């Protein structure tokens, strides 16, 4: 930090309260080094001269508040992560959904948080490759994240070897352009088939603005929330689903410990959670 001193207990509490109100993520003394390192970077880049000066900036500048939030979000992901859930989507979930629909009907899938886009693009690729009825329905795939920088990267659709490591080589060749500066860009047709925007799991109004979905992927984020934020996120996720819609969480997460509103569905490939049918 510019004044070359650690945060006091009160300053740390104020900052953690600010982040909690904005994101639902709970931080504290146990992550002091992690917090101070990121705040020091933002103070230096913003031109603030002290922590109190920076806190005043956060209150007056939504843009800087967004940059701080972005610096705390975790964007570790890659294509075909937790592939068993993609198999479950194609073999069990979508057949159940479209059994209640007709050809040409809308099927909505939401990846939230979507990070830099690997997950929603993986869903699109998987369906094109593995779900034969894909062309018979109007598939709407959306990706949202609280991190505006990650969303912009997702729209751009450029990925390095680490993101592509688990994607079969023939699919990389089919869905990505030639390597340039160590990255390959996803083809235009696929990039234009996924919508991206910002959304916050603990902002019910913002979540509701996206409408309702048949399937929501919300993986590896609830583990960062405290109990109150998890309950709020569970409510917004429940409301984001159409009756009979499905929620897929990360492999270390369980909705049964958070909310009793969801049905637990045990399919061949994955355990998922369902909003009860109307």
């Amino acid at each position: 930090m510019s004044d070359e001193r650690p945060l006091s207990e009160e300053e740390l509490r104020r900052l953690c309260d600010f982040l909690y109100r904005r994101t639902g993520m709970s931080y504290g003394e146990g992550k002091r080094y992690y917090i101070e390192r990121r705040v020091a970077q933002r103070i230096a880049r913003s031109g603030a001269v002290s922590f109190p000066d920076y806190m005043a900036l956060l209150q007056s500048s939504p843009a800087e508040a967004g940059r701080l939030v972005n610096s705390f979000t975790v964007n570790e992901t890659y294509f075909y992560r937790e592939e068993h859930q993609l198999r479950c989507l194609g073999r069990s979930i979508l057949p159940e959904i479209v059994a209640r629909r007709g050809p040409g009907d809308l099927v909505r899938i939401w990846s939230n948080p979507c990070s830099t886009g690997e997950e929603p693009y993986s869903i699109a690729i998987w369906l094109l490759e593995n779900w034969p009825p894909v062309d018979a329905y109007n598939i709407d795939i959306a990706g949202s994240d609280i991190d505006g920088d990650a969303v912009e990267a997702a729209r751009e659709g450029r990925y390095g070897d680490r993101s592509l490591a688990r994607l079969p080589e023939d699919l990389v060749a089919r869905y990505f352009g030639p390597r340039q500066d160590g990255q390959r860009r996803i083809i235009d047709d696929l990039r234009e088939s996924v919508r991206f925007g910002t959304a916050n799991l603990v902002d019910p109004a913002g979540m509701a603005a996206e409408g309702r979905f048949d399937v929501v992927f919300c993986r590896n984020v609830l583990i960062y929330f405290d109990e109150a934020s998890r309950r709020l996120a569970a409510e917004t996720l429940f409301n984001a689903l159409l009756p009979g819609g499905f929620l897929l969480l990360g492999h270390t997460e369980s909705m049964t410990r958070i909310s009793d509103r969801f049905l637990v569905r045990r399919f061949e490939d994955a355990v998922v959670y369902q909003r009860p049918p109307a």
Side-chain angles (χ1 to χ4, degrees), residues 168-229:
E169 290 184 7
D170 63 316
L171 298 188
V172 174
R174 196 175 309 154
Y175 292 107
F176 294 81
R179 185 186 307 275
Q180 294 183 339
D181 299 324
Q183 294 184 316
R184 302 181 69 153
R185 193 179 196 193
I186 204 158
I187 61 172
D188 290 347
D189 284 350
L190 195 59
R191 188 161 46 85
E192 293 167 3
S193 71
V194 180
R195 301 182 295 106
F196 290 101
T198 56
N200 186 339
L201 286 169
V202 294
D203 174 15
M207 290 281 287
E210 295 292 331
R212 291 185 173 181
F213 292 81
D214 295 288
V215 183
V216 175
F217 285 78
C218 181
R219 305 194 297 194
N220 306 311
V221 65
L222 298 182
I223 55 175
Y224 297 103
F225 289 4
D226 69 358
E227 185 176 350
S229 295

Side-chain angles (χ1 to χ4, degrees), residues 29-123:
E29 185 67 41
K31 292 192 174 181
R32 172 180 283 273
Y33 174 73
Y34 177 87
I35 295 166
E36 288 187 333
R37 185 155 50 93
R38 279 154 180 77
V39 173
Q41 291 171 348
R42 289 308 324 151
I43 288 178
R45 292 173 184 174
S46 69
V49 297
S50 65
F51 179 80
D53 186 36
Y54 185 67
M55 285 301 298
L57 177 63
L58 288 178
Q59 302 300 329
S60 63
S61 172
E64 180 55 34
R67 294 185 192 103
L68 178 68
V69 168
N70 291 354
S71 73
F72 276 84
T73 54
V74 179
N75 292 314
E76 173 65 25
T77 187
Y78 46 84
F79 282 85
Y80 276 20
R81 187 178 188 180
E82 299 193 36
E83 188 175 344
H84 66 283
Q85 291 189 339
L86 297 174
R87 291 195 299 270
C88 185
L89 177 68
R91 293 205 290 206
S92 302
I93 293 173
L94 287 178
E96 188 168 317
I97 289 170
V98 301
R100 307 188 293 264
R101 310 281 172 84
D105 281 357
L106 179 66
V107 176
R108 304 193 73 205
I109 302 173
W110 196 11
S111 170
N112 183 8
C114 70
S115 185
T116 47
E118 287 91 335
E119 180 173 290
Y121 287 135
S122 289
I123 294 168

Side-chain angles (χ1 to χ4, degrees), residues 103-162:
D105 281 357
L106 179 66
V107 176
R108 304 193 73 205
I109 302 173
W110 196 11
S111 170
N112 183 8
C114 70
S115 185
T116 47
E118 287 91 335
E119 180 173 290
Y121 287 135
S122 289
I123 294 168
I125 293 171
W126 180 270
L127 295 182
L128 288 169
E129 292 293 317
N130 299 283
W131 194 54
V134 65
D135 292 327
Y137 296 91
N138 179 12
I139 308 294
D140 173 39
I141 301 175
S144 300
D145 202 281
I146 193 173
D147 185 340
D149 293 339
V151 169
E152 286 304 313
R155 290 192 180 114
E156 186 65 17
R158 298 183 187 275
Y159 299 100
D161 291 341
R162 185 169 182 174

